[in-house]
Amino acid sequence: MAEASVTQPGTARQLWAKLDKVWLIVVVVPLVIALYDTQQAGETVTFAVGAMAHTAPFIAFAVFAVAFLKATGAETLVARAFEGPEWRMIVVAALVGGLSPFCSCEVIPFIAAMLALGAPLSAVMAFWLSSPLMDPAMFAITAGTLGFEFALAKAAAAVGMGLLGGAGVWAFSRTRVFADPLRAKSGGCGSCCGVQQPFQGAPVWRFWGEAERRETFSDTGRENALFLLKWLALAYVLESLMLAYVPAEWIATVLGGDGAQPILLGALVGAPAYLNGYAAVPLVDALMAQGMTPGAAMSFMVAGGASSIPAAVAVWALVKPRIFAGYIGFAMFGAVLAGFGWAMLA
């Protein structure tokens, strides 16, 4: 009996550690709501299922696109961004960062290798700032929910953010601020995506001829599908509750109206409130439905994407605090500029 009493708590802890907390929240929240508002619980489930069905084609395209890029080894083309004159590196790194399927964790070893090999910090910063803001999957999800124009503007903001950070570092590259960027011992980000390491060499577009690449395609597709379904399910549940319980007048007062205040607040709120680039899309959709201005929505998404916990921890793990401070500063300033730009165009 004593042995059973010892092993059972240990088993419970193991089960709790293995349990996906996001799926747990998705299931538990409607059940809790049902205790005091049965009608809203049913409406929340219906809303989430309907929204997921509407987004399904974009999810399917996003999953296929990322799996294809991984299986072919197209990520190896990213290394070409760090060749040639420094100004060219900055431009290409910003462009590639806004299109590559790297997550914040996967980019760590690549960036560490580039810095160790002598790649200029300006180009690395350009890639680092633009990479978490947009990728093929995020573009598809954003376009499906917020519209193609918003997705295109966010992609442009990602590239612009990279150019801003790269040019800023380049301008002060001869000062001590951006000298000797790497930590003595760089750790991981503590949250790996679990996908396989990128292939080496030239891409193989007809990937289905190699068993390893076919396995990469299936593994990456499955992992990304589960990732997107999980976070979007949570986001749609939260969106439904936000529409039901958060007063539209409050949102309109804080993040609505003209002027600079909504855009500045959007950037400031976006950093700590951000879940990830996928889950943020439905939440921003709900906020805009309740009065959030387009400019504030853009600054919220751009600031949150660059300073989200995975992206920020990835940068902190690799570089010294002053470089990290520069990263956050460029991210916030770029987000505000993106917000003002979109406010004038929307």
Side-chain angles (χ1 to χ4, degrees):
M1 294 295 292
E3 183 179 353
S5 64
V6 172
T7 57
Q8 286 178 359
T11 302
R13 285 194 294 270
Q14 291 175 357
L15 291 174
W16 176 253
K18 293 180 179 180
L19 184 64
D20 193 308
K21 308 305 188 296
V22 176
W23 281 121
L24 180 64
I25 295 173
V26 170
V27 173
V28 169
V29 166
L31 295 178
V32 173
I33 297 296
L35 295 177
Y36 63 89
D37 193 344
T38 305
Q39 181 178 352
Q40 180 57 46
E43 291 177 355
T44 295
V45 173
T46 302
F47 179 91
V49 172
M52 192 70 74
H54 172 76
T55 316
F58 301 96
I59 296 175
F61 172 79
V63 168
F64 175 82
V66 174
F68 177 80
L69 291 172
K70 294 280 187 180
T72 58
E75 292 170 304
T76 59
L77 297 174
V78 175
R80 298 182 183 177
F82 299 90
E83 299 175 353
E86 188 169 353
W87 66 267
R88 177 188 176 278
M89 291 189 210
I90 294 171
V91 173
V92 177
L95 290 169
V96 173
L99 299 175
S100 67
F102 279 122
C103 78
S104 301
C105 304
E106 291 175 306
V107 80
I108 280 285
F110 177 81
I111 289 297
M114 290 297 101
L115 287 174
L117 291 172
L121 180 62
S122 58
V124 171
M125 185 69 76
F127 182 82
W128 229 339
L129 284 165
S130 60
S131 183
L133 293 177
M134 186 59 71
D135 57 46
M138 199 179 298
F139 186 92
I141 299 299
T142 305
T145 304
L146 300 177
F148 178 79
E149 293 81 5
F150 191 97
L152 191 62
K154 186 173 181 246
V159 176
M161 177 93 81
L163 294 173
L164 172 69
V169 172
W170 191 14
F172 294 95
S173 59
R174 297 185 182 277
T175 67
R176 295 184 60 185
V177 177
F178 294 112
D180 189 23
L182 286 173
R183 290 178 181 268
K185 292 183 179 179
S186 299
C189 70
S191 175
C192 189
C193 299
V195 295
Q196 300 181 19
Q197 291 296 318
F199 290 102
Q200 303 297 320
V204 177
W205 302 113
R206 298 176 180 268
F207 70 89
W208 50 87
E210 300 180 21
E212 185 181 1
R213 293 179 184 272
R214 291 197 302 270
E215 183 180 358
T216 297
F217 180 85
S218 60
D219 290 348
T220 303
R222 181 177 64 256
E223 290 165 1
N224 274 279
L226 292 174
F227 175 85
L228 289 174
L229 289 172
K230 174 178 69 176
W231 282 103
L232 287 175
L234 173 62
Y236 289 136
V237 167
L238 296 178
E239 179 183 7
S240 174
L241 298 179
M242 185 181 298
L243 290 171
Y245 295 122
V246 178
E249 296 79 8
W250 184 82
I251 299 294
T253 300
V254 176
L255 296 173
D258 300 323
Q261 178 178 328
I263 296 172
L264 295 173
L265 287 176
L268 292 174
V269 172
Y274 212 71
L275 293 173
N276 62 48
Y278 305 100
V281 173
L283 298 183
V284 169
D285 187 39
L287 289 169
M288 292 183 70
Q290 292 176 289
M292 187 183 202
T293 65
M298 182 62 71
S299 65
F300 177 93
M301 294 199 71
V302 172
S307 59
S308 64
I309 291 176
V313 170
V315 179
W316 177 264
L318 194 57
V319 298
K320 294 179 178 177
R322 50 189 164 79
I323 309 299
F324 177 80
Y327 173 89
I328 295 299
F330 286 128
M332 297 301 293
F333 184 60
V336 172
L337 291 181
F340 279 115
W342 183 237
M344 291 187 292
L345 294 175

